[in-house]
């Protein structure tokens, strides 16, 4: 009966016509850890596992067509009564609307992964381009170098196709880092 529990929330508030604050969170608990290990999806024996995620953010309009964004994402996963894995991700960026249908962006992404045995970090600088293909449909491509403490210099690439209609939101993402 109590094999899985899930809860999530997402809230946004506009403190002014220029600034929007956001707060998101997620909680998952399952007796099959593969249900909440979104990164690998590896199925293991039936053991209790849990995942917490907390994400505050801010978007501020700097100029008529320029936005500043900042986001922090904290995620912790663990098998109950055993070791814990933590992931901290900080993002900050600036985007500029070039035309009514396209924009360019630059973003810094810092990540820190730690568990009971080790700690790794990475830093990436990516440039992005977004194009509205049709009404409510957009394509985003981001790429740049990422330096990691465990592999050195590697590429960071993300491609996203999304549709945001009145009743249905759908998206397809691919990333490699």
């Amino acid at each position: 009966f109590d094999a899985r529990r899930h809860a999530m929330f997402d809230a946004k508030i506009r403190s002014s016509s220029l600034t929007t604050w956001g707060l998101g969170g997620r909680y998952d608990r399952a007796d099959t850890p593969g249900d909440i290990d979104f990164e690998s999806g590896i199925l293991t024996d039936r053991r209790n596992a849990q995942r917490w995620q907390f994400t505050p953010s801010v978007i501020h309009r700097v100029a008529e067509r320029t936005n500043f964004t900042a986001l922090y994402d904290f995620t912790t996963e663990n098998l109950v009564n055993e070791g814990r894995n933590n992931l901290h991700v900080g993002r900050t960026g600036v985007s500029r609307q070039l035309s009514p249908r396209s924009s360019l962006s630059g973003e810094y992404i810092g990540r820190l992964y730690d568990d009971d045995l080790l700690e790794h970090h990475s830093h990436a600088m990516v440039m992005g381009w977004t194009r509205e293909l049709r009404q409510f449909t957009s394509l985003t491509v981001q790429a740049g170098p990422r330096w990691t403490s465990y592999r050195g210099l590697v590429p960071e690439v993300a491609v996203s196709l999304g549709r945001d209609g009145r009743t249905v939101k759908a998206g397809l993402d691919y990333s490699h880092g």
Side-chain angles (χ1 to χ4, degrees), residues 100-168:
R101 297 182 74 158
S102 66
S103 64
L104 284 177
S105 63
E107 187 174 17
Y108 165 79
I109 307 164
R111 297 176 181 100
L112 172 65
Y113 170 84
D114 68 87
D115 65 17
D116 297 336
L117 303 174
L118 54 98
E119 180 177 299
H120 289 294
H121 54 91
S122 70
H123 306 275
M125 293 294 290
V126 295
M127 295 297 294
W129 174 73
T130 300
R131 174 77 178 169
E132 185 178 325
L133 302 175
R134 315 181 53 184
Q135 186 177 15
F136 307 119
T137 305
S138 62
L139 172 69
T140 301
V141 178
Q142 289 183 316
R146 177 170 70 151
W147 183 85
T148 69
S149 61
Y150 51 93
R151 288 188 63 199
L153 194 61
V154 295
E156 172 105 5
V157 179
V159 178
S160 175
L161 177 64
R163 176 126 174 107
D164 188 359
R166 291 184 180 174
T167 57
V168 175

Side-chain angles (χ1 to χ4, degrees), residues 32-135:
T32 49
D35 289 350
I36 62 173
D37 185 2
F38 299 117
E39 300 302 320
S40 70
I42 296 172
L43 297 175
T44 59
D45 296 335
R46 292 177 93 57
R47 299 169 64 192
N48 287 331
Q50 63 185 7
R51 179 178 200 262
W52 290 88
Q53 184 175 1
F54 175 72
T55 309
S57 63
V58 64
I59 299 172
H60 181 73
R61 190 171 66 193
V62 178
E64 184 178 344
R65 298 182 343 178
T66 305
N67 290 325
F68 166 80
T69 60
L71 175 141
Y72 170 73
D73 185 42
F74 171 74
T75 305
T76 183
E77 297 176 337
N78 71 303
L79 294 172
V80 174
N81 299 325
E82 290 194 27
R84 182 176 304 272
N85 300 321
N86 298 316
L87 176 63
H88 305 266
V89 179
R91 295 174 172 260
T92 185
V94 175
S95 64
R96 172 100 174 135
Q97 186 177 9
L98 301 175
S99 72
R101 297 182 74 158
S102 66
S103 64
L104 284 177
S105 63
E107 187 174 17
Y108 165 79
I109 307 164
R111 297 176 181 100
L112 172 65
Y113 170 84
D114 68 87
D115 65 17
D116 297 336
L117 303 174
L118 54 98
E119 180 177 299
H120 289 294
H121 54 91
S122 70
H123 306 275
M125 293 294 290
V126 295
M127 295 297 294
W129 174 73
T130 300
R131 174 77 178 169
E132 185 178 325
L133 302 175
R134 315 181 53 184
Q135 186 177 15

